Amino acid sequence: MANSMADRYLENNRQYASGEAVHRPAYPGKHPIQPSKRVAVVACMDARLDVEDLLGLQTGDAHIIRNAGGVVSDDAIRCLIISHHLLNTNEIILIHHTRCGMLAFTDDLLKAGLEGDPAAEKLLGQATKRAFKACGKCAATPSAFHAFRGAIEPLDAPRDAKNIERLQWDVRRGMSSILNHPWLPTSGPDAVTVRGFIYDVDNGKLEEVSYPGPMGSIG
Ligand SMILES: [Zn+2]
């Protein structure tokens, strides 16, 4: 999947990491609805990620889909299918990042805390340094929070080999969800390409995640 536009964005990112962002805000009225660079980005909602700046995207260039973790959720798949089939994008970029909050809890822990389990409340309070307040009720949705696999760690912990591995697992899981989806073609004349990255919030740099590779295991 070499020679994609992502290589240009990697070059823009090197510029960004050295202190010069290339995004220029523009009034969008005269741009076509189709993203001009034919790119769709899935990225975490983290407040420290300026997606347009760190990739050097301009107004009208790309669809940017964001959620907690940059997870390829059902809704992200929905967006990507619409982005490709109706709005002509053909390149997908996934971005996870260091110090992600999704490394600091598990789905079961958060659900138990929200439902009122005192031990879960205490653990979540310790992990986030915020008094976690249970709601004391069950709920049918969301069906999953998609917290990252692996042993949880304190919120905003600096990067190390273990948490980078956990981030890589989830990027690959997202790539796999896209590459194996029957409505997102990855071969033939209408193919989309997919590349995954980890953004380091401390130095502003993107690092590519190899694919295929380990995706973690249950538990
Ligand atoms: Zn995050």
Side-chain angles (χ1 to χ4, degrees):
M1 292 184 188
N3 300 320
S4 62
M5 285 302 294
D7 295 310
R8 167 78 65 84
Y9 303 133
L10 279 172
E11 184 50 42
N12 291 346
N13 176 254
R14 281 188 274 275
Q15 210 172 324
Y16 173 73
S18 66
E20 190 191 342
V22 300
H23 171 70
R24 306 276 181 272
Y27 178 69
K30 291 184 179 175
H31 292 279
I33 187 171
Q34 295 87 357
S36 58
K37 294 291 193 297
R38 304 189 66 190
V39 169
V41 182
V42 180
C44 185
M45 68 182 187
D46 192 286
R48 298 164 291 188
L49 271 64
D50 288 319
V51 175
E52 290 91 338
D53 286 312
L54 71 91
L55 291 174
L57 292 167
Q58 309 301 341
T59 304
D61 277 355
H63 285 145
I64 299 177
I65 301 150
R66 301 188 68 168
N67 62 33
V71 171
V72 180
S73 60
D74 286 355
D75 193 67
I77 290 282
R78 178 186 74 87
C79 296
L80 291 171
I81 291 167
I82 291 169
S83 177
H84 172 63
H85 287 283
L86 304 184
L87 294 164
N88 205 34
T89 57
N90 64 1
E91 185 165 0
I92 299 168
I93 294 176
L94 305 187
I95 302 179
H96 282 27
H97 65 96
T98 59
R99 298 178 180 272
C100 188
M102 302 292 280
L103 295 160
F105 68 99
T106 66
D107 278 35
D108 285 346
L109 182 65
L110 180 52
K111 283 181 190 173
L114 290 166
E115 289 174 5
D117 178 71
E121 270 188 284
K122 190 175 169 201
L123 277 170
L124 288 163
Q126 286 167 350
T128 59
K129 298 184 174 62
R130 174 190 185 275
F132 187 89
K133 201 86 184 85
C135 298
K137 296 171 186 166
C138 296
T141 59
S143 57
F145 288 101
H146 301 293
F148 298 158
R149 300 252 168 148
I152 63 170
E153 58 181 73
L155 190 67
D156 203 25
R159 69 178 287 165
D160 59 23
K162 189 66 210 165
N163 59 39
I164 290 293
E165 182 181 43
R166 293 177 64 200
L167 293 168
Q168 289 172 339
W169 288 347
D170 205 78
V171 170
R172 291 191 187 109
R173 289 159 64 84
M175 292 176 77
S176 174
S177 298
I178 293 165
L179 291 167
N180 293 297
H181 200 286
W183 291 347
L184 289 168
T186 52
S187 61
D190 196 36
V192 296
T193 60
V194 187
R195 290 172 70 174
F197 299 89
I198 294 171
Y199 175 72
D200 189 316
V201 298
D202 292 305
N203 65 23
K205 291 179 183 169
L206 285 170
E207 298 156 34
E208 187 148 16
V209 175
S210 62
Y211 184 92
M215 289 194 264
S217 54
I218 303 260

